[in-house]
Amino acid sequence: MRIEQINAKALERVDYDRYLLSQAVAKRVNQLLNGEKPLVELPKKNMQLTEIAILEIAEGLIKVKEIWMNLMN
């Protein structure tokens, strides 16, 4: 799947709220930087952390509403 298609699917998961998606991606990237393992099998070797986070959201493996609630606390 191309990154444009993945982005569109991820946006659909957050009801097309770009701000919410960017916050969720940032939070997940921080988690990945702190050593958490990706929840998806990586289709290519050198994926950026932002691409991994967006792919996880697009696949429904990351519940954005849960991340949003954690950001608010």
Side-chain angles (χ1 to χ4, degrees), residues 21-38 47-57 62 67 71:
L21 180 60
S22 67
Q23 293 298 310
V25 167
K27 176 74 172 179
R28 183 62 181 146
V29 166
N30 282 333
Q31 292 172 345
L32 291 169
L33 282 171
N34 288 326
E36 287 196 26
K37 301 288 184 207
M47 285 186 76
Q48 296 178 3
L49 295 178
T50 53
E51 291 175 326
I52 295 169
I54 291 172
L55 182 58
E56 291 174 341
I57 292 168
I62 300 291
I67 291 176
L71 286 173

Side-chain angles (χ1 to χ4, degrees), residues 4-47:
E4 294 85 7
Q5 294 169 318
I6 295 169
N7 286 342
K9 195 172 178 182
L11 268 172
E12 186 178 325
R13 293 251 185 220
V14 295
D15 297 324
Y16 301 96
D17 187 337
R18 291 178 186 272
Y19 177 76
L20 179 56
L21 180 60
S22 67
Q23 293 298 310
V25 167
K27 176 74 172 179
R28 183 62 181 146
V29 166
N30 282 333
Q31 292 172 345
L32 291 169
L33 282 171
N34 288 326
E36 287 196 26
K37 301 288 184 207
L39 301 174
V40 293
E41 189 173 318
L42 304 179
K44 59 183 184 177
K45 214 179 214 184
N46 298 326
M47 285 186 76

Side-chain angles (χ1 to χ4, degrees), residues 20 23-24 27 66-73:
L20 179 56
Q23 293 298 310
K27 176 74 172 179
E66 291 173 11
I67 291 176
W68 182 250
M69 294 307 288
N70 288 337
L71 286 173
M72 301 306 286
N73 292 331

